[in-house]
Structures are given as structure tokens and as C-alpha cells.
Amino acid sequence: MSDTLSPDASPATTAATPPDGSGGASGRRSGTASRAGTAAAGVLLLLALPFYVSSFWLQTGLFAMAAIVGAIGLNLLSGTTGQLSLGHAFFLAVGAYGYVWLAGDPSGTGSAQLYGLGLPPLLAFVLAILLAGAAGGLFSPISGRLRGMYLGIATLALVFLGHHIMLNARDITGGFNGRSVPALEIFGFSFSDTSPDGLAVLGVPFGGLERLWYFGLVLVAVAWLAARNLLRGRPGRALAAVRDSEVAAAVMGVPLSRYRASAFIVSSMYAGAAGALLALVFKRVVPDHFGLLLSIDYLAMIVIGGLGSVGGAAAGAVFVALMPHLLTKYADHLPLLSAPGTTGSGVTPGDAARYLYGAAIVLVLVFAPGGLAGLAQKRPRRTGDGTRRNRRFPFRTRTTSDSNPQGVEGTTPKEHTP
Amino acid sequence: MRHTRLVPAAAVLAVLTLSVTACSTKSGTGSNAAGSDGLKTGPGVTDTTITLGALTDLTGPYASLGKSIVNAQQLYADQLNASGGVCGRKVRITVKDHGYDVQKAVSAFTETEPNVAALSQVIGSPVVSSLQQEIEAKHLLTFPMAWASSLLGHEHVQVVGSTYDIDMINGVDFVVRTAKLKPGAKIGHVYFEGEYGENALAGAKYAAKQHRLSIVEQKIKPTDQDLTAQVTALKQAGVKAILLSAGPKQTAALVGTAAAQGFAVPVLSNAPGFAPQLLATPVGPALEKQLHVVSAAPSFSSDTPATQQLAKDYKAKYPKDPLDSGVISGWNAINVLGEDLKAACKAKDLTREGITAAHRKQSKLTILGVSLDFSDRAKPATYQSFIQKPAKQAAGGLLTVEPAHEVPAARAYPLPKS
Amino acid sequence: MIKLAETILNGLALGSVYALIALGFVVIFKASGVMNFAHGSLLLFGGYVMARLHDSIGFIPAVLAGAALAAALAGLVQLLATRGLRGAEIHTLTILTIGVDVLLSTELNRRVGADFLSMGDPWGADVTQFGGITVADARIASIAVAVVVISGFFAAFRWTRWGLSMRSAAADPEAAALMGIRLDRVRLIAWCVAGALAAVAAVFLAAFPAAGLDRTTSQIALSAFPAAILGGMDSAAGALVGSLVIGLTAAMAAGYQSELSVLGSGFADVAPYLVMVLVLLVRPTGLFGSKELTRV
């Protein structure tokens, strides 16, 4: 599933592939087909889930979907371009509040007055994404100039400034109490518990979460495909070149600052989409959610998933988004814990969930330093210079050869049988 | 390669069959039913148990408050069950720890909501804000552990006791009386940004207007722990008293700094600004000298028999845990809920609607010596506040200075609309 | 005028505590390229050890023990990072510190609970007054201690073997390794030093006028982030200057809150970040950070 770019390997690959693609191409096709079969089964499973699982799982799944979209975006920035950002939460907030402001109707009077444009929700959703992109663009004088940790901490400032604005721009954000989120509506079909009321599909009642589930799936699919195409095309190669060596990229004719700025804008748009989806799930946006911890979570997602790969980012997002929820849900069943309200002063289930979460992060990184994407590729072969050189470059990916179209790795044995 | 095309098709078939056969597994939950004894029951009520939910913080910033509340409510449930329960059913509390994280809280709500009859506590203003709509939609009687008047006006959300602004109105009256403030005098108000602080400020401003005082505002954040700048500014402004709506840490910092500077004006804090643990710190003596606390709840040293009994029972069950305001708040909330359940049982209606209806009929409920009236959802349950004073030897660290009382101005105060 | 003087003194005291924390960040970053998210927890750990020990062994030994244990713990994190994750990339180590932070902070929070732990410091709630200015003794002590500790650090950095190894390792790890400098050891010492500095900062964060060490004390470490960046991430002198600037900005913005109300209330908390962003706009590697030179 990995879409890791392999800038070092690709020129060699192009040279080695027979121009007419007779042998390699058909082998690739069979591999792709079986992969497509698995993917299709996975997609069908996802499509069927709302018929079986409870709203808790749907909601948690939707949180994970929002995280996937956001993480793919951050991965484009940090994983592919090598720009570290701790400001992702800010752009999520822009998307979330942007949607609420664009789609919401003006309400209240006096100090409780709230502005809203009352646009059709789907349009508002799209505009919110663009708004987040614009916010990213406004930051480009900084994002274009700073590198590494400097950029990281400078973007951290965005989180704090954003929080300040969310609390103070009351007529748009609703202040500390937040603001309720208008339901998404497409051509009169509302993604909420009402209108149409009591909708049931195959006898299963379809409320807001069930309906949003499908919207989330579509959003994830679009985000995923867009990122893949971006990475596989010319911009992806250019961005990877920027990450590997700015000088070399500039020499080869990549307009550096433009690419850096656009990576930031695209990543902000992904964050905006994630934020708007999150808002729809929450049904109410409050400032406290979009804090530093959220930013750090996103950073953890892309690193745990494996930098530079779309699939990895998604895996990391699912891991980080689901883990605390699952641990909290099942922590009550762990042995040797004292339940809340009992006399024991031992470890409570909540504490246990935190310990396990911390331990899980450490263990994943110790056993899969390349992230979950690295695990999925069996033992990734390291290009000779990988380890040592990478140490000196924070936030760049190790190059793996999985996306090598020829499959010289031998991961698919049938490769050359027509 | 034909088999690869079969895979999706087979999956579609499998999924379709499964979804059709599985319709019944996810049928509508939460339907109300009438038992053989004519008792109507709703979600969370079975033949043997009534399940209540608690969304609390046991691992985040309000962990100690959360623990006290959970303990106190468990104590009540145990006593209630020992005396036969409600309607022959045992009362059970499902505790979910969200660590003050909105996303975890929302998912904990989604998880517990289908299986509980009411929520005996919800900690965290942002949490309550994000859940408010859902709570109303699900008709779930909820007791938030926050006392802002923006929480009033909801049918199913019930603040037990007076609100921060009412407390401040009563508190300012006390300060004016005891410090003999003349019209035109200045008083300082140091408050948290957010619901709590700003609600208290609204009350203080109203009271200041009544007494023709002017207020010098200083807004702080929960992370601030050095208030030297604020104290210096208030001293320069020449304030004659300081109102405080912050946390225990800020109370210690403010009083400590003021005392060190020889700035011996009276300080009056809202209840959340005090914790008995403060008395063991170096600023303990200064607190005993300068600080008063205005609170909706009685202190453990008050002579009401019910309070004394609670203190005794609590210490017997949780000898290691401190007696603090959380114990009283938790007890108050579940005590009201317990009375509601009993009344609903008498009315033969233990559905959620029945419980809320029973709750709204309680107009003269006396709990821990305070008379509460829940019949008007737009008004606080009481307009009375206690004035207390820190004392190291007192149980719970507070002595009652003035018993529950209200000032006439409080009733005329226009409650802010949410 | 008195207000201005008091505010400045306050800002300097705050800045000196930030400097202790920021120096730790910078040293770790210089040595191993990692942004240490567990720094706040290390600080809380050091403080917790002191708070628990001072009753039985006295204040000074407790501080030494706290600093030593915090240093040991920081060293342990580094050992885990290098031994357990040999060959891993920098960002993996950075995220590893998040995992460590979750573990440490959960355990410490559970232990500290709702308490305000006294550090047993000799200054108590005493204050000194001169010319109408009142300042807490703990504040003066924090400036004095920070000056002594930081000068000691600079001296070590400049004149000791470790300082030399450290500087060469930061300049070019490969060349340094080739010259026989044991990078692992240099990194280990750097982490230990940072841990000890954080523990010392904990004393002053918990001392008067704060109520004592509580579970949120570790959050202050975040405020040192802009301080370290402002000065230049790879410059120790920069960390010092940056810390003072940030400390002064925070104190001024809080002290003159009502004059600044146009910018929204609660502006004091964002002012340091705003100053940092403005500085970075002009100097992308901070005030004293080495400029990135690119040789082709």
C-alpha cells in the first residue's frame, strides 16, 4: 500500500524498464489486480460497517477518518517536503470554524450575536477548505523562509495565536463556549438524524453518524487519491527533490520557494478538510480541542505511520486516533486496577490507558523505526547510504524501493510470469 | 487472472447477504417499554438496575476534583442500595474518564448514552458545551460540574446550587459590608478566561454597579502561576478589595504576592479557587488572614447534621482522600438525582422523560441544609451563597462565616442568555 | 515608574528560569538533533524528587539529588534512543520523546495528585524592598542561581574537553567521529546536563510566589520553546538572550494588560510567540543562530 517516493531509485528504474513494458508491465498488472481485489474487499467491508456496529464505533471511525485526511496533508508537508509543522491544529481549526461560519445562519443579538453567511453546506465545506489553504498561504512569508525546528516552533505560535483569536473573535467563533455546527446537506439530503426523519436502509435505522460515515469515506478516498497523484506526478518528484537537497533541486530548475509555499498551502487545505469533517462529527466546535496536543498528535501519526507514504500516514492516523479511545473503552477490564469510586488508591483504568498509550508509541518506534508503513513492507531494504546519512537530516524519509514499478524486491514472486 | 475479478463480486454478495440478515442486530435502542407492574422504563433501566453515567476527569487537570466527585457519588449509590435502592432496583454508576479531552468525552458520551438513564456528573466546560445539544436531543437529565449561568435554560441540564455570578453578587455585598467600601471605591477582579471567570465577572460588574464601585479587570489563564504583574497593577490602581475567579494555584499566588508586598486588602474567591491543600503551603497563613470564599455549597465544618454525617461516612469509606468541595458538589448532584428517581418511581415512569419531569416538579428540596427549587429551568436552583474562610484546623479547610443567604439585588440581576 | 521597575525585575526573573529550560533544549538539540518533548516531565520529575527528599536530607542535598536523578533519567532516555533505536532517524527519536513524556507525566501526575508540594527552599515567602520596589527573595535567588549555573555552563562549553567535543560534534558529527570523539558519550552527557538544568529550574518554578510544585508545573517548559528559538537553536548565548526577551515580554504584556486590551484580553500569553515570529521574519535562524551556509 505504500506510496513512498523513491527519488533515488526512480531514474534507475525508468532506465531499466523495457520501453514497451511488455514483460514488466503485465507482471505489474497481475500484482495490481490482486491488490485491487483486496482493496475492493476492504472498501466493501467499510461500506457495510454502519449496518453492524454501534454509534460509538462509527463515531470513533469518523474521528479516525478526519485524522487520516489531516495526516495525509501533514505528511505531504513534513514527510515529502521535509518541513516540520506543529501548527496543524490551527489549520484544522480554520477549517472547522470556517465551515461553521460559512454555513451557519446569523443568530443572536447584542453580545451573543453570531455572524454567519448561511451558504449551502456543501459549498461552505469546499470554501472552508479553501479558507484553510488561504490561511496557509498567508503564512508563506514565514514558511518559505524557515527550516527545520525553526519552522516547527514558528508554526507552534500559530496554535497559540489561533486559540487567542478563537476566544476573542466571539461574533464568529462563539468564544469559549464554541458554536454549534450546521448539519451537512447535499441537495436536500441532510447528514443528521432528521430530514429525512427515521431513514432506514435494509431495516437499519440511518441516523447522522451512519450517513456521515459515507461522506467521510468519500472524503478519505478523494484525499488519498489526490495525494497519490500529486506524489507520483511532477510536483511529487519536485517536492522530494527539495527535501533531499534544496541546492540540487534549485539547480535542476525547481522553483524552491514556490514549491515550499504550495506544499504548505496544500497541507493546510487537507487540515481544513479534516477540521470541517471533525466539526460535523462533533456537532459543536469548541476552542479547547484545537490545542498543541492535537498538533503533536498529528506529528506522532505521520512518524508512527512512516514518513513520506500516504498509506503510512493513514495507518498512523488510525493508530493514534483509535488507540486512546480503545484503551479507555476497554481499560475497565484490565486486571489489578482499582475502579473509580472504590477505596483502593492504585492505578485507575484511565491511568492504565495512558501508560499503555505511551508504551505503545515507544514500542512501535523501537520495533518499527520506519513506522507502520515500514512494517508492512516486510524488511525494507535500505539503500546503502540510508542510515547514516539520514541521521543528519531531520524529517526526511528513508528511501524504500517498494513503489519501484519493476518489483525487483521480489515481494511479488509472480512478477515476470505473463 | 479471472479469480481476481471474482473476489470483489463475491465480497459484494457476501456483504449484501450479511447486511440483510443482520438487520435485527442493530435495531433501534432506547425504546420505552412498560413492565407488568405498570412501571414505564427507558434506556438504562432494567428489572434489577438503574444505570447512571458519569463523564469525569480522573487523569487530566481536574483529576482530584473528579476523584472526589466519583467517590461521593459512589458513596451515595452504596447507601441508597443498602436501603433497598429505587423501585427495587440497584443504582449503578458507569464512570468514564475523559481526561478533560473533548474528543474523548464526546466518544465516551456516545458509548454510554444508550445505556444510562441520566448523567450524574459531567466535568469540564468545553465538554458540557460540546455535548449540550446531544443531551437535549436525547432527553438525558445531566448534572454538569460547573456553575456558570450560561448552563441555565436547558430542560435536561441542571446546575445544582447558585451560579458563579449570583455567588459574586452575594460576595461583593459581603465585601462592601465588612470592608466598609464607599461608593466610588475601586475593586479588582482577577478572573480566568472562559465560562467560569467571565460569568463571575458579569455578576461582579452588576453588583459593582449596584454599590457604585468600579472594577479593575485582570484576565488570566489557567496556566498562569505568577501573578506578580497583576498584583502590582491592582496595587497601582489603588483597589480596596480583590475578587478572584480562578484556580487554587492562582489564589495562592495572588494572596501570597499581595501579602508579601504588604498589600493587605481583603480577597474574595469563588469556590473553585480554593483547595484545602493550599493551607499546607508557605502562603497558608496569608490565606487564613486575607481570603474569604463565596460558595454555593456548605463547608464540612458547618453544623448541619446532614453535612456532618456526610463527612463522617466519607472519611470512613475513603480515609485517605481529602474532604474538599468536590465531595459536596458530587453528593449534591447525585442526591438530587436520587430524589428525582424516587419521585419518578412513585409516578411509575422511569423513562428519561419521566425522570426529567419528576425533576422539574422538585420545588422544595433541601439538601445539606440548602433549599433548592428546580421548577424553573431558566433560574438558578437557589440564590443563596455561603461565605467561608480558610482555617487549617477546620474539616475541609473552611469555616462558615455567614450561612446561606441571598441579597435582594441577586433576584433582580438579569441572567445572561446563552 | 515603580511598576515598570517591578515588572522588569519580574521579567528578568522569569527569563532566567526560562533560560535554564531553554539551555537544556538547545544542548539536546545541538548534540542529537532531537526536539525533546519530554522536557517538561523531566522538570517535574526533578522537582518531585526534591519535594519528597528535602524533609529528610535538607534543601541543598535534595536539590543535588533531584538534579542528579533528573540527569540520570534524561540519560536513560538517550540510552533508550540510541541503544534501542540504533540507526533510527531524528524524527523518530523526537516522537519517542512524546511517548516517554506520556509515560512519565502519567506516573508523576498520579503521584502528585492535587497536592502543592513544597520545595523546602530557604526563601519561603520573604520579600526584599528597596526604593519602593518589592521583590520576592526567591526571585532574586533565581536570577543569581541562573547567572551562576549558566556561566558555569558556558565555561564548560568553552574550555573543557566535553565542551570541545560537544562543539565539534555539533559542527560536523562525521568529522568529529573520525577524529575519535565518541558521539554517543557526548550526546549522553548533553542529555544529562539538560536534565539537571531542568531540575534546577523546577526549584524556582515551584518557589514563592507560586504555591508549590503541582502537576501543571511542567507546562511552563512550553514557554521556553520560543525562548530557545528566538535566540537561535544552536546558540547557548542566544538561549540566554532569547529567554530574557521572552520573560520581559510576558511580564510587560501581563503588567500592562489594560493598556493592551485592544489586542484582545489574555494577550500576555501570545505576546512571546508574536515577538518570536517577528524576529524570525527578519532573522530566520534566530538572533544568534548560525546562518545556514550552502556550499555547492
Side-chain angles (χ1 to χ4, degrees):
Chain A
M1 290 309 256
S2 165
D3 305 288
T4 317
L5 259 193
S6 45
D8 296 1
S10 23
T13 314
T14 3
T17 315
D20 58 331
S22 53
S26 63
R28 180 162 77 231
R29 213 174 290 139
S30 97
T32 326
S34 74
R35 196 191 272 184
T38 332
V43 167
L44 280 171
L45 182 72
L46 286 176
L47 287 174
L49 271 182
F51 291 95
Y52 297 95
V53 299
S54 69
S55 32
F56 166 78
W57 289 105
L58 289 180
Q59 192 177 51
T60 313
L62 276 162
F63 286 143
M65 288 185 203
I68 290 175
V69 174
I72 290 177
L74 185 61
N75 188 45
L76 285 177
L77 183 70
S78 302
T80 310
T81 325
Q83 289 171 281
L84 168 65
S85 169
L86 277 172
H88 221 52
F90 170 75
F91 296 106
L92 269 121
V94 173
Y97 277 99
Y99 171 74
V100 176
W101 170 62
L102 290 162
D105 290 315
S107 67
T109 48
S111 63
Q113 188 172 12
L114 285 174
Y115 289 107
L117 299 188
L119 296 175
L122 189 62
L123 179 65
F125 195 92
V126 175
L127 287 179
I129 296 175
L130 295 179
L131 194 68
L138 282 180
F139 198 64
S140 63
I142 294 177
S143 61
R145 293 164 66 100
L146 301 185
R147 310 266 131 84
M149 284 302 154
Y150 291 98
L151 181 63
I153 306 290
T155 47
L156 180 64
L158 279 180
V159 175
F160 288 91
L161 287 172
H163 197 249
H164 184 67
I165 295 169
M166 282 185 260
L167 288 171
N168 282 286
R170 239 172 242 199
D171 36 13
I172 292 177
T173 62
F176 47 79
N177 260 328
R179 197 171 165 174
S180 65
V181 180
L184 186 69
E185 208 181 283
I186 300 177
F187 304 122
F189 178 81
S190 167
F191 287 77
S192 66
D193 294 341
T194 54
S195 139
D197 284 307
L199 175 70
V201 179
L202 295 173
V204 176
F206 254 49
L209 285 173
E210 282 85 358
R211 301 178 203 181
L212 262 182
W213 176 268
Y214 293 104
F215 179 74
L217 282 182
V218 171
L219 194 67
V220 168
V222 170
W224 189 310
L225 292 177
R228 248 164 67 132
N229 286 339
L230 192 75
L231 284 180
R232 285 186 173 170
R234 192 186 160 84
R237 271 195 281 276
L239 289 175
V242 172
R243 174 198 65 204
D244 287 341
S245 162
E246 297 200 346
V247 177
V251 169
M252 304 223 286
V254 176
L256 279 188
S257 50
R258 213 179 75 203
Y259 266 100
R260 287 172 65 95
S262 5
F264 207 88
I265 292 174
V266 172
S267 143
S268 309
M269 287 168 68
Y270 270 92
L277 178 60
L278 206 58
L280 288 171
V281 186
F282 271 139
K283 295 184 192 164
R284 189 174 185 97
V285 280
V286 288
D288 284 19
H289 180 64
F290 302 98
L292 175 61
L293 281 182
L294 190 68
S295 279
I296 294 183
D297 274 352
Y298 273 96
L299 204 56
M301 285 174 202
I302 59 167
V303 171
I304 287 177
L307 280 179
S309 111
V310 176
V318 171
F319 181 89
V320 173
L322 290 191
M323 196 65 145
H325 291 281
L326 297 190
L327 289 173
T328 315
K329 183 174 163 75
Y330 291 112
D332 307 357
H333 306 301
L334 291 172
L336 300 176
L337 297 178
S338 56
T342 54
T343 42
S345 57
V347 179
T348 62
D351 286 329
R354 300 274 304 155
Y355 287 130
L356 288 175
Y357 179 54
I361 293 181
V362 173
L363 288 178
V364 164
L365 295 177
V366 168
F367 289 108
L372 297 173
L375 271 189
Q377 289 162 227
K378 300 182 180 168
R379 286 273 70 166
R381 194 196 57 172
R382 283 183 185 171
T383 34
D385 55 348
T387 335
R388 284 232 50 95
R389 204 189 50 191
N390 281 342
R391 267 187 167 265
R392 286 175 54 201
F393 292 94
F395 288 90
R396 48 160 299 166
T397 34
R398 160 195 310 149
T399 53
T400 53
S401 313
D402 183 69
S403 61
N404 180 345
Q406 255 203 321
V408 283
E409 291 290 298
T411 42
T412 36
K414 286 198 298 180
E415 211 61 56
H416 289 281
T417 40
Chain B
M1 254 180 286
R2 188 175 290 163
H3 67 283
T4 48
R5 247 175 250 156
L6 282 178
V7 173
V12 171
L13 249 160
V15 164
L16 282 180
T17 14
L18 276 174
S19 26
V20 173
T21 47
C23 294
S24 55
T25 59
K26 211 186 149 184
S27 61
T29 47
S31 53
N32 297 337
S36 51
D37 49 353
L39 182 76
K40 281 204 283 179
T41 57
V45 182
T46 67
D47 289 343
T48 50
T49 45
I50 299 174
T51 310
L52 306 175
L55 302 182
T56 191
D57 176 7
L58 295 170
T59 45
Y62 294 96
S64 54
L65 176 73
K67 189 166 187 216
S68 295
I69 296 174
V70 168
N71 284 349
Q73 299 200 332
Q74 191 58 50
L75 177 69
Y76 180 86
D78 288 352
Q79 292 182 357
L80 188 65
N81 291 339
S83 67
V86 176
C87 266
R89 291 161 169 83
K90 300 266 181 229
V91 171
R92 213 173 62 83
I93 307 174
T94 307
V95 179
K96 285 284 161 192
D97 169 26
H98 57 61
Y100 210 67
D101 175 315
V102 178
Q103 189 169 323
K104 270 197 209 161
V106 168
S107 95
F109 176 82
T110 310
E111 188 194 350
T112 43
E113 181 273 322
N115 307 314
V116 297
L119 291 178
S120 61
Q121 63 153 316
V122 177
I123 283 191
S125 296
V127 174
V128 179
S129 296
S130 16
L131 290 179
Q132 218 161 57
Q133 282 161 307
E134 283 295 287
I135 288 170
E136 288 296 309
K138 308 279 187 193
H139 305 291
L140 195 59
L141 183 60
T142 298
F143 293 87
M145 288 298 133
W147 289 263
S149 51
S150 55
L151 294 170
L152 299 173
H154 301 281
E155 181 67 18
H156 302 282
V157 177
Q158 183 59 60
V159 179
V160 179
S162 54
T163 46
Y164 300 125
D165 42 2
I166 301 295
D167 279 346
M168 262 305 161
I169 295 170
N170 290 328
V172 169
D173 174 74
F174 170 80
V175 172
V176 169
R177 269 190 285 121
T178 49
K180 303 197 173 54
L181 297 186
K182 304 218 159 44
K186 282 183 183 171
I187 51 174
H189 193 167
V190 179
Y191 63 99
F192 268 173
E193 97 185 342
E195 198 167 40
Y196 159 40
E198 293 176 29
N199 189 224
L201 180 69
K205 274 185 172 163
Y206 172 81
K209 213 165 130 198
Q210 301 289 311
H211 294 281
R212 279 177 289 150
L213 308 170
S214 63
I215 294 222
V216 182
E217 293 174 31
Q218 290 283 329
K219 184 171 178 173
I220 56 171
K221 283 199 173 166
T223 42
D224 290 340
Q225 55 176 356
D226 178 358
L227 301 182
T228 318
Q230 284 79 5
V231 171
T232 309
L234 291 177
K235 197 177 168 190
Q236 291 281 316
V239 304
K240 297 279 180 271
I242 301 175
L243 308 174
L244 186 60
S245 309
K249 199 165 56 166
Q250 288 76 18
T251 306
L254 184 114
V255 175
T257 311
Q261 298 195 359
F263 183 37
V265 295
V267 179
L268 179 92
S269 168
N270 276 107
F274 180 79
Q277 288 90 345
L278 289 180
L279 292 169
T281 67
V283 293
L287 289 174
E288 288 183 299
K289 220 162 84 192
Q290 261 178 294
L291 184 72
H292 282 89
V293 177
V294 57
S295 169
S299 68
F300 277 109
S301 55
S302 79
D303 44 13
T304 333
T307 319
Q308 293 304 323
Q309 186 62 38
L310 171 60
K312 217 176 91 202
D313 294 344
Y314 191 84
K315 267 293 160 201
K317 184 155 189 221
Y318 308 104
K320 278 192 233 149
D321 296 332
L323 284 168
D324 56 19
S325 62
V327 177
I328 301 243
S329 318
W331 180 270
N332 269 339
I334 193 126
N335 204 334
V336 173
L337 183 51
E339 294 302 322
D340 295 343
L341 289 176
K342 286 179 202 163
C345 172
K346 217 175 267 170
K348 297 258 175 228
D349 187 355
L350 273 177
T351 61
R352 288 180 181 172
E353 294 77 10
I355 295 169
T356 302
H359 174 70
R360 290 288 165 215
K361 286 200 188 94
Q362 309 267 20
S363 59
K364 272 194 215 92
L365 195 59
T366 302
I367 289 173
L368 298 183
V370 183
S371 170
L372 302 165
D373 174 5
F374 299 110
S375 56
D376 188 347
R377 64 181 180 190
K379 285 196 179 133
T382 172
Y383 282 88
Q384 299 186 330
S385 321
F386 293 84
I387 306 286
Q388 294 146 352
K389 161 181 184 25
K392 203 164 185 175
Q393 75 287 353
L398 285 171
L399 282 176
T400 308
V401 177
E402 292 185 0
H405 65 287
E406 65 179 81
V407 296
R411 295 261 174 193
Y413 166 72
L415 289 159
K417 295 220 169 56
S418 63
Chain C
M1 201 56 219
I2 289 176
K3 181 177 172 186
L4 183 66
E6 277 187 0
T7 310
I8 289 177
L9 254 177
N10 231 332
L12 289 179
L14 202 61
S16 63
V17 180
Y18 285 167
L20 293 172
I21 307 170
L23 260 185
F25 272 132
V26 171
V27 169
I28 288 180
F29 182 73
K30 252 178 114 92
S32 49
V34 170
M35 185 146 95
N36 182 20
F37 281 110
H39 216 70
S41 297
L42 284 176
L43 184 151
L44 189 59
F45 172 76
Y48 179 76
V49 170
M50 294 174 201
R52 281 281 173 259
L53 287 183
H54 74 81
D55 261 348
S56 45
I57 61 174
F59 175 64
I60 299 287
V63 170
L64 294 178
L69 285 175
L73 186 64
L76 209 65
V77 176
Q78 162 66 8
L79 281 184
L80 171 74
T82 49
R83 296 273 184 275
L85 285 174
R86 185 169 287 282
E89 290 135 57
I90 302 299
H91 49 74
T92 309
L93 301 184
T94 298
I95 301 302
L96 184 81
T97 63
I98 294 178
V100 171
D101 182 66
V102 171
L103 288 173
L104 259 181
S105 62
T106 309
E107 178 60 20
L108 287 168
N109 283 344
R110 202 170 66 78
R111 284 173 178 272
V112 174
D115 286 345
F116 296 91
L117 301 172
S118 152
M119 305 301 283
D121 53 295
W123 307 290
D126 298 342
V127 290
T128 304
Q129 293 193 318
F130 48 92
I133 302 174
T134 316
V135 92
D137 287 1
R139 280 287 138 98
I140 302 173
S142 80
I143 299 180
V145 169
V147 166
V148 170
V149 169
I150 292 169
S151 330
F153 174 80
F154 277 123
F157 198 60
R158 189 106 197 86
W159 289 298
T160 64
R161 275 188 76 79
W162 171 75
L164 187 65
S165 328
M166 171 88 188
R167 278 179 291 145
S168 49
D172 188 341
E174 263 153 49
L178 286 174
M179 300 307 282
I181 289 172
R182 293 166 68 178
L183 290 183
D184 277 1
R185 186 182 288 179
V186 171
R187 290 199 181 110
L188 187 64
I189 296 177
W191 275 77
C192 292
V193 167
L197 286 174
V200 174
V203 177
F204 299 105
L205 284 178
F208 185 80
L213 190 81
D214 74 332
R215 50 198 295 157
T216 58
T217 305
S218 58
Q219 288 172 7
I220 307 293
L222 280 183
S223 316
F225 268 123
I229 286 286
L230 182 68
M233 200 69 189
D234 56 355
S235 156
L240 187 60
V241 175
S243 304
L244 294 181
V245 170
I246 294 295
L248 280 175
T249 310
M252 294 292 228
Y256 293 90
Q257 197 181 67
S258 37
E259 283 84 347
L260 290 171
S261 57
V262 199
L263 299 167
S265 42
F267 182 68
D269 293 271
V270 285
Y273 288 94
L274 214 58
V275 169
M276 174 191 77
V277 168
L278 292 178
V279 168
L280 289 181
L281 264 180
V282 184
R283 297 185 63 96
T285 51
L287 291 172
F288 293 84
S290 46
K291 284 232 176 67
E292 264 181 42
L293 292 175
T294 316
R295 292 198 186 84
V296 186

